[in-house]
Amino acid sequence: MDQHLQVFVTVAEKKNFSRAAEELHMTQPAVSQYIRTFEDRFGARLLERTNKYVRLNKAGEIVYHHAKEIVGLYAKMESLVDDLTNKASGTLYIGASYTFGEYILPHVIAQLHQLYPEIIPAVTIDNTAKIAALMMARQLDIGIVEGHFKEEKQLETDAFAEDSMVLVASPNHPIAVGNEEITAADLAAQTWILREAGSGTREASEMVLQRGHITPANIISFGSTQAIKEAVGAGLGISLLSKWAVQKELHHGELKIIETAGMPFSRQFYIITASPFQTKALQVFLELLRDKRKWSLFRGKI
């Protein structure tokens, strides 16, 4: 691969010539020379430099976006060729949305490490929309998401597991106390604690509200499931969350499932891939994902 490209990407990410030089095991003057030569190729400045920072300008952002894709494709090409004669190994770039990434993926990766210790997982956890965008940019080998996203021809999707979502509240919340039937009007009068736009969990919650003709009196958004659990546990409101995400809280009595019409709500987990050529590391990870009997934490529960 062109060394100038790698140096440029490293400087852009480190935002500092000295740190980039350390990362690349080069001298700072050598890094500066590589960047000057690289900019000369384009006939344009790509980095804004001051005594305090180094950052991309508009032209630099365009080059960086495509450079990251080129670097990723080059690394994948090397892995595919290496796989022809070697066993599953190397870095596997995995992206997952929050529910799967925080509550299931760690146990799948533990199983992967036990079976294939030479595979090195590099995990990115973000909402469904962000993971799909990273797949489109070829910065991930595989994405695992819940909910729908803008499908692209370059991406392959495969529903591989079902997720059960439940309505939860603090055990002391008024809606959780008593045996009266809970109606849509009761739910509409509550404060709903929801994930941010772009999240698969937010999409599922909005679908449930729409199907139940429920317009909440108040909606509060949080950027993580853990924050939502804390808020619900503190009595701030109610929320719709994956049953995987609230297992511990239900077990310890910190949250309570609210039984009502249309609950639990089922949705799918999806695998996203972008290339017909798969490294051995990706192949064995896909096999593990699809063989849920090997998910040690959830054996017998799916």
Side-chain angles (χ1 to χ4, degrees):
M1 182 178 59
D2 188 340
Q3 183 72 5
H4 293 83
L5 197 68
Q6 185 65 64
V7 170
F8 171 74
V9 168
T10 305
V11 170
E13 292 177 346
K14 296 296 181 181
K15 298 181 174 65
N16 183 282
F17 280 83
S18 296
R19 287 197 292 270
E22 290 176 8
E23 176 77 14
L24 295 164
H25 305 291
M26 298 171 64
T27 64
Q28 184 174 332
V31 169
S32 298
Q33 182 59 49
Y34 268 101
I35 294 299
R36 282 194 295 271
T37 303
F38 194 62
E39 289 179 323
D40 287 345
R41 285 189 193 173
F42 289 94
R45 291 288 288 261
L46 304 176
L47 297 165
E48 299 298 330
R49 308 159 173 83
T50 72
N51 292 331
K52 294 182 178 179
Y53 63 79
V54 176
R55 66 186 180 192
L56 295 168
N57 58 22
K58 188 64 178 178
E61 289 175 359
I62 294 170
V63 174
Y64 175 75
H65 173 77
H66 292 285
K68 281 290 288 183
E69 184 172 340
I70 293 167
V71 170
L73 288 170
Y74 191 90
K76 187 173 293 185
M77 177 185 68
E78 285 187 320
S79 295
L80 287 165
V81 173
D82 187 58
D83 278 350
L84 293 175
T85 55
N86 297 300
K87 58 185 176 180
S89 62
T91 304
L92 181 64
Y93 293 93
I94 303 166
S97 51
Y98 284 98
T99 298
F100 195 93
E102 293 183 332
Y103 300 100
I104 303 177
L105 184 59
H107 304 280
V108 181
I109 287 178
Q111 194 75 18
L112 179 73
H113 181 69
Q114 181 180 348
L115 297 171
Y116 304 98
E118 294 185 28
I119 294 177
I120 304 168
V123 178
T124 299
I125 297 177
D126 213 315
N127 65 35
T128 293
K130 294 283 183 62
I131 296 301
L134 288 172
M135 287 296 305
M136 282 295 299
R138 300 296 192 272
Q139 293 183 30
L140 297 172
D141 296 311
I142 181 172
I144 306 143
V145 301
E146 65 265 5
H148 297 90
F149 56 92
K150 183 182 178 182
E151 295 193 23
E152 303 283 352
K153 291 181 180 180
Q154 300 98 314
L155 300 180
E156 299 265 346
T157 60
D158 176 26
F160 76 106
E162 190 172 272
D163 183 25
S164 181
M165 301 193 71
V166 292
L167 193 64
V168 292
S170 164
N172 301 318
H173 192 286
I175 203 170
V177 178
N179 299 315
E180 296 83 3
E181 181 180 351
I182 296 169
T183 66
D186 294 326
L187 296 176
Q190 308 305 315
T191 294
W192 283 66
I193 317 294
L194 303 179
R195 284 286 309 281
E196 80 287 356
S199 158
T201 298
R202 176 63 175 259
E203 178 193 18
S205 299
E206 291 177 344
M207 193 176 298
V208 167
L209 292 171
Q210 184 179 14
R211 288 182 181 181
H213 304 288
I214 300 166
T215 303
N218 190 28
I219 292 176
I220 300 175
S221 297
F222 281 92
S224 78
T225 299
Q226 187 61 41
I228 290 176
K229 291 194 293 182
E230 292 293 333
V232 172
L236 185 58
I238 65 176
S239 188
L240 185 73
L241 294 172
S242 167
K243 199 168 183 178
W244 301 125
V246 295
Q247 283 188 359
K248 289 182 180 178
E249 289 78 8
L250 293 174
H251 178 73
H252 293 295
E254 297 167 4
L255 295 178
K256 181 179 179 180
I257 292 178
I258 306 303
E259 303 290 350
T260 186
M263 291 290 126
F265 174 78
S266 293
R267 63 177 178 176
Q268 294 290 322
F269 285 129
Y270 293 90
I271 293 170
I272 313 174
T273 52
S275 172
F277 302 106
Q278 298 175 351
T279 64
K280 284 187 180 178
L282 178 54
Q283 289 172 9
V284 299
F285 182 65
L286 283 168
E287 290 170 6
L288 185 58
L289 281 176
R290 290 173 175 139
D291 185 1
K292 291 177 285 295
R293 293 170 300 176
K294 291 182 179 178
W295 295 8
S296 56
L297 180 67
F298 304 114
R299 189 172 292 134
K301 296 184 181 179
I302 296 182

